[in-house]
PDB file of all heavy atoms in Angstrom:
ATOM      1  N   THR A1653      70.679 153.322 -87.139  1.00  0.00           N
ATOM      2  CA  THR A1653      70.298 152.623 -85.915  1.00  0.00           C
ATOM      3  C   THR A1653      70.798 153.365 -84.711  1.00  0.00           C
ATOM      4  O   THR A1653      71.966 153.694 -84.620  1.00  0.00           O
ATOM      5  CB  THR A1653      70.882 151.197 -85.926  1.00  0.00           C
ATOM      6  OG1 THR A1653      70.438 150.484 -87.081  1.00  0.00           O
ATOM      7  CG2 THR A1653      70.500 150.401 -84.682  1.00  0.00           C
ATOM      8  N   GLY A1654      69.924 153.593 -83.710  1.00  0.00           N
ATOM      9  CA  GLY A1654      70.305 154.264 -82.521  1.00  0.00           C
ATOM     10  C   GLY A1654      70.002 155.728 -82.526  1.00  0.00           C
ATOM     11  O   GLY A1654      69.897 156.327 -81.414  1.00  0.00           O
ATOM     12  N   ASP A1655      69.849 156.326 -83.672  1.00  0.00           N
ATOM     13  CA  ASP A1655      69.482 157.781 -83.725  1.00  0.00           C
ATOM     14  C   ASP A1655      68.134 157.954 -83.100  1.00  0.00           C
ATOM     15  O   ASP A1655      67.232 157.099 -83.142  1.00  0.00           O
ATOM     16  CB  ASP A1655      69.413 158.251 -85.187  1.00  0.00           C
ATOM     17  CG  ASP A1655      70.803 158.489 -85.792  1.00  0.00           C
ATOM     18  OD1 ASP A1655      71.737 158.650 -85.046  1.00  0.00           O
ATOM     19  OD2 ASP A1655      70.860 158.570 -87.031  1.00  0.00           O
ATOM     20  N   LEU A1656      67.914 159.149 -82.525  1.00  0.00           N
ATOM     21  CA  LEU A1656      66.632 159.498 -81.991  1.00  0.00           C
ATOM     22  C   LEU A1656      65.983 160.499 -82.907  1.00  0.00           C
ATOM     23  O   LEU A1656      66.513 161.646 -83.107  1.00  0.00           O
ATOM     24  CB  LEU A1656      66.760 160.067 -80.567  1.00  0.00           C
ATOM     25  CG  LEU A1656      65.466 160.321 -79.821  1.00  0.00           C
ATOM     26  CD1 LEU A1656      64.837 158.982 -79.440  1.00  0.00           C
ATOM     27  CD2 LEU A1656      65.722 161.165 -78.566  1.00  0.00           C
ATOM     28  N   LEU A1657      64.780 160.200 -83.490  1.00  0.00           N
ATOM     29  CA  LEU A1657      64.118 161.110 -84.366  1.00  0.00           C
ATOM     30  C   LEU A1657      63.216 161.954 -83.530  1.00  0.00           C
ATOM     31  O   LEU A1657      62.014 161.825 -83.497  1.00  0.00           O
ATOM     32  CB  LEU A1657      63.308 160.313 -85.409  1.00  0.00           C
ATOM     33  CG  LEU A1657      64.180 159.436 -86.338  1.00  0.00           C
ATOM     34  CD1 LEU A1657      63.315 158.561 -87.207  1.00  0.00           C
ATOM     35  CD2 LEU A1657      65.100 160.314 -87.203  1.00  0.00           C
ATOM     36  N   ARG A1658      63.901 162.859 -82.771  1.00  0.00           N
ATOM     37  CA  ARG A1658      63.206 163.621 -81.735  1.00  0.00           C
ATOM     38  C   ARG A1658      62.161 164.607 -82.276  1.00  0.00           C
ATOM     39  O   ARG A1658      61.228 164.996 -81.522  1.00  0.00           O
ATOM     40  CB  ARG A1658      64.201 164.368 -80.848  1.00  0.00           C
ATOM     41  CG  ARG A1658      65.168 165.252 -81.581  1.00  0.00           C
ATOM     42  CD  ARG A1658      66.049 166.036 -80.645  1.00  0.00           C
ATOM     43  NE  ARG A1658      67.109 165.269 -79.999  1.00  0.00           N
ATOM     44  CZ  ARG A1658      67.223 165.008 -78.700  1.00  0.00           C
ATOM     45  NH1 ARG A1658      66.344 165.531 -77.874  1.00  0.00           N
ATOM     46  NH2 ARG A1658      68.229 164.377 -78.195  1.00  0.00           N
ATOM     47  N   SER A1659      62.308 165.061 -83.507  1.00  0.00           N
ATOM     48  CA  SER A1659      61.337 166.082 -83.967  1.00  0.00           C
ATOM     49  C   SER A1659      60.295 165.474 -84.913  1.00  0.00           C
ATOM     50  O   SER A1659      59.574 166.209 -85.536  1.00  0.00           O
ATOM     51  CB  SER A1659      62.013 167.263 -84.548  1.00  0.00           C
ATOM     52  OG  SER A1659      62.801 166.851 -85.621  1.00  0.00           O
ATOM     53  N   LEU A1660      60.194 164.154 -84.999  1.00  0.00           N
ATOM     54  CA  LEU A1660      59.075 163.586 -85.760  1.00  0.00           C
ATOM     55  C   LEU A1660      57.815 163.717 -84.954  1.00  0.00           C
ATOM     56  O   LEU A1660      57.808 163.527 -83.706  1.00  0.00           O
ATOM     57  CB  LEU A1660      59.284 162.065 -85.959  1.00  0.00           C
ATOM     58  CG  LEU A1660      60.183 161.589 -87.145  1.00  0.00           C
ATOM     59  CD1 LEU A1660      59.942 160.109 -87.339  1.00  0.00           C
ATOM     60  CD2 LEU A1660      59.882 162.335 -88.416  1.00  0.00           C
ATOM     61  N   PRO A1661      56.673 164.016 -85.605  1.00  0.00           N
ATOM     62  CA  PRO A1661      55.406 164.125 -84.876  1.00  0.00           C
ATOM     63  C   PRO A1661      54.834 162.735 -84.566  1.00  0.00           C
ATOM     64  O   PRO A1661      53.820 162.336 -85.116  1.00  0.00           O
ATOM     65  CB  PRO A1661      54.532 164.860 -85.858  1.00  0.00           C
ATOM     66  CG  PRO A1661      55.037 164.535 -87.187  1.00  0.00           C
ATOM     67  CD  PRO A1661      56.551 164.317 -87.055  1.00  0.00           C
ATOM     68  N   LEU A1662      55.590 161.976 -83.686  1.00  0.00           N
ATOM     69  CA  LEU A1662      55.275 160.554 -83.468  1.00  0.00           C
ATOM     70  C   LEU A1662      53.840 160.409 -82.909  1.00  0.00           C
ATOM     71  O   LEU A1662      53.143 159.493 -83.312  1.00  0.00           O
ATOM     72  CB  LEU A1662      56.254 159.976 -82.529  1.00  0.00           C
ATOM     73  CG  LEU A1662      57.658 159.685 -83.082  1.00  0.00           C
ATOM     74  CD1 LEU A1662      58.651 159.387 -82.020  1.00  0.00           C
ATOM     75  CD2 LEU A1662      57.569 158.501 -84.072  1.00  0.00           C
ATOM     76  N   ALA A1663      53.509 161.238 -81.903  1.00  0.00           N
ATOM     77  CA  ALA A1663      52.192 161.039 -81.294  1.00  0.00           C
ATOM     78  C   ALA A1663      51.104 161.096 -82.365  1.00  0.00           C
ATOM     79  O   ALA A1663      50.198 160.258 -82.404  1.00  0.00           O
ATOM     80  CB  ALA A1663      51.947 162.119 -80.264  1.00  0.00           C
ATOM     81  N   ARG A1664      51.212 162.100 -83.264  1.00  0.00           N
ATOM     82  CA  ARG A1664      50.191 162.227 -84.310  1.00  0.00           C
ATOM     83  C   ARG A1664      50.259 161.080 -85.269  1.00  0.00           C
ATOM     84  O   ARG A1664      49.219 160.559 -85.733  1.00  0.00           O
ATOM     85  CB  ARG A1664      50.340 163.577 -84.992  1.00  0.00           C
ATOM     86  CG  ARG A1664      49.822 164.744 -84.129  1.00  0.00           C
ATOM     87  CD  ARG A1664      50.118 166.098 -84.634  1.00  0.00           C
ATOM     88  NE  ARG A1664      49.848 166.262 -86.030  1.00  0.00           N
ATOM     89  CZ  ARG A1664      50.673 166.922 -86.877  1.00  0.00           C
ATOM     90  NH1 ARG A1664      51.783 167.443 -86.455  1.00  0.00           N
ATOM     91  NH2 ARG A1664      50.338 166.990 -88.129  1.00  0.00           N
ATOM     92  N   LEU A1665      51.441 160.638 -85.635  1.00  0.00           N
ATOM     93  CA  LEU A1665      51.552 159.524 -86.540  1.00  0.00           C
ATOM     94  C   LEU A1665      50.878 158.310 -85.961  1.00  0.00           C
ATOM     95  O   LEU A1665      50.195 157.553 -86.630  1.00  0.00           O
ATOM     96  CB  LEU A1665      53.022 159.236 -86.844  1.00  0.00           C
ATOM     97  CG  LEU A1665      53.704 160.199 -87.849  1.00  0.00           C
ATOM     98  CD1 LEU A1665      55.206 159.970 -87.880  1.00  0.00           C
ATOM     99  CD2 LEU A1665      53.155 160.010 -89.241  1.00  0.00           C
TER     100      LEU A1665
END
Side-chain angles (χ1 to χ4, degrees):
Chain A
T1653 302
D1655 282 342
L1656 187 70
L1657 298 172
R1658 53 175 77 242
S1659 58
L1660 278 193
L1662 285 167
R1664 285 170 46 223
L1665 282 170

